[in-house]
Amino acid sequence: MLAALLTRLDEEFVGLTPVKDRVREIAALLLVDRLRQGFGLASSRPSLHMCFTGSPGTGKTTLATHMGELLKELGYLRTGQLVSVTRDDLVGQYVGHTAPKTKEVLKRAMGGVLLIDEAYYLYRPENERDYGQESIEILLQVMEAQREDLVVILAGYADRMDVFFRSNPGMASRIAHHIDFPGFTLEELLRIAGTMLDREHYRMDGGAREAFAEYVRLRMAQPRFANARSIRNAIDRLRLRQARRLVAAGGVIARDDLMQISAADVRASRVFRGGLGPAQQDPGQ
């Protein structure tokens, strides 16, 4: 089963070689730790709390799910389920509200992995009435006292996480594994798009593939590009444009028509007409 999980890691993650190498190192350490226990050798549970840094859409949440499954298989977690939260799930807006919210999240995550996305937003020193510090203190206590039943993963941009750790040395001391997720190259993003299209039984002809490569090059240079997340959004928009084209054409729609993405479907994106404004969200167009 462990080998199958690691194989799945290679199959499901395009690129990210340093990330996958680090996961294999952690898996090997834990496997050897279990073997040492079996032979009666000195063994202590390694610290498993982690920090994932990188841009949006680089696979941090997906890897957190894999880590839960891996740690369950190795006997380090009871259930291995992933509970993903942000500041809003942990911090209250008035006195006495934060502790119950944080404790409820921790209760749901016990036995598995708690992923806190954009964890640096828990700490807002500029606001004297902010209750994020209360949540941090509760998290610190549980991360130490119940580390055999919970793995906490903090995620966010690297520079902001560095500031967060400098401001919260107690949290920094509890994080054993720091894994940085690099952004994807153009070639990797096109492979990701191909995998997504294959999974949903769509295909592009040569002209559409050429147009989509041009689209991705343009989109990578524009604001709010979110790696694989933007590719997912782009494919959703392609499906909408394809559907509109097929229905507008009228007549009988054949099976092959339902699968085919045309160059016109790709080039209808406004990215080719000047792109997105800096204040706009990523609509995948």
Side-chain angles (χ1 to χ4, degrees):
M1 182 63 175
L2 176 60
L5 285 171
L6 293 175
T7 298
R8 241 179 75 203
L9 191 71
D10 277 327
E11 292 174 347
E12 294 187 16
F13 283 84
V14 172
L16 298 178
T17 298
V19 173
K20 291 185 282 192
D21 287 346
R22 188 63 186 279
V23 172
R24 290 191 191 93
E25 288 176 354
I26 294 171
L29 170 66
L30 300 180
L31 181 59
V32 168
D33 180 65
R34 281 288 182 252
L35 292 172
R36 287 178 61 88
Q37 290 180 29
F39 282 104
L41 299 173
S43 175
S44 60
R45 180 185 175 93
S47 177
L48 295 173
H49 301 309
M50 306 178 190
C51 177
F52 291 175
T53 53
S55 299
T58 48
K60 297 185 291 295
T61 301
T62 305
L63 183 64
T65 300
H66 277 270
M67 290 304 304
E69 295 173 355
L70 185 68
L71 294 172
K72 179 187 177 185
E73 177 63 23
L74 288 168
Y76 284 88
L77 287 175
R78 288 185 290 112
T79 63
Q81 90 279 5
L82 175 69
V83 174
S84 180
V85 300
T86 63
R87 172 192 163 91
D88 288 345
D89 300 297
L90 297 166
V91 181
Q93 298 179 346
Y94 51 84
V95 174
H97 192 205
T98 294
K101 288 188 74 171
T102 300
K103 289 176 181 178
E104 176 58 31
V105 167
L106 288 166
K107 181 180 178 181
R108 285 194 286 121
M110 282 299 162
V113 173
L114 174 62
L115 174 68
I116 305 176
D117 196 21
E118 298 183 309
Y120 32 75
Y121 287 132
L122 289 175
Y123 180 69
R124 289 181 172 172
E126 72 282 359
N127 186 351
E128 293 181 0
R129 299 186 63 183
D130 184 70
Y131 304 113
Q133 190 61 42
E134 182 181 358
S135 181
I136 291 172
E137 290 170 2
I138 294 170
L139 286 167
L140 288 174
Q141 292 170 9
V142 173
M143 287 169 70
E144 183 61 31
Q146 296 182 259
R147 61 195 183 103
E148 294 190 359
D149 200 33
L150 178 70
V151 169
V152 174
I153 300 177
L154 309 180
Y157 289 105
D159 54 347
R160 297 182 188 180
M161 288 307 306
D162 286 342
V163 172
F164 175 75
F165 285 134
R166 285 198 298 270
S167 304
N168 296 274
M171 185 67 77
S173 67
R174 285 167 173 77
I175 301 297
H177 305 284
H178 293 258
I179 302 179
D180 186 60
F181 289 65
F184 293 108
T185 65
L186 172 62
E187 292 73 19
E188 289 168 345
L189 290 167
L190 293 177
R191 284 172 57 197
I192 290 169
T195 298
M196 291 177 177
L197 288 167
D198 288 344
R199 189 180 300 133
E200 298 184 8
H201 300 104
Y202 286 93
R203 61 175 178 240
M204 294 183 180
D205 59 25
R209 285 195 295 272
E210 181 180 340
F212 191 73
E214 183 180 348
Y215 165 88
V216 176
R217 279 194 296 270
L218 291 170
R219 187 65 190 92
M220 290 175 73
Q222 292 174 342
R224 302 186 187 281
F225 178 69
N227 289 280
R229 192 176 303 160
S230 287
I231 298 300
R232 171 75 274 170
N233 291 342
I235 289 174
D236 286 345
R237 294 296 301 178
L238 280 175
R239 293 174 60 197
L240 286 171
R241 289 195 286 270
Q242 182 228 37
R244 183 173 60 194
R245 170 175 58 81
L246 291 174
V247 172
V252 177
I253 300 175
R255 182 177 187 272
D256 283 351
D257 296 329
L258 295 170
M259 300 171 65
Q260 191 71 38
I261 300 291
S262 72
D265 296 331
V266 179
R267 293 194 178 278
S269 167
R270 59 195 167 115
V271 166
F272 291 101
R273 304 191 299 274
L276 308 173
Q280 290 177 283
Q281 298 294 324
D282 171 23
Q285 286 202 12

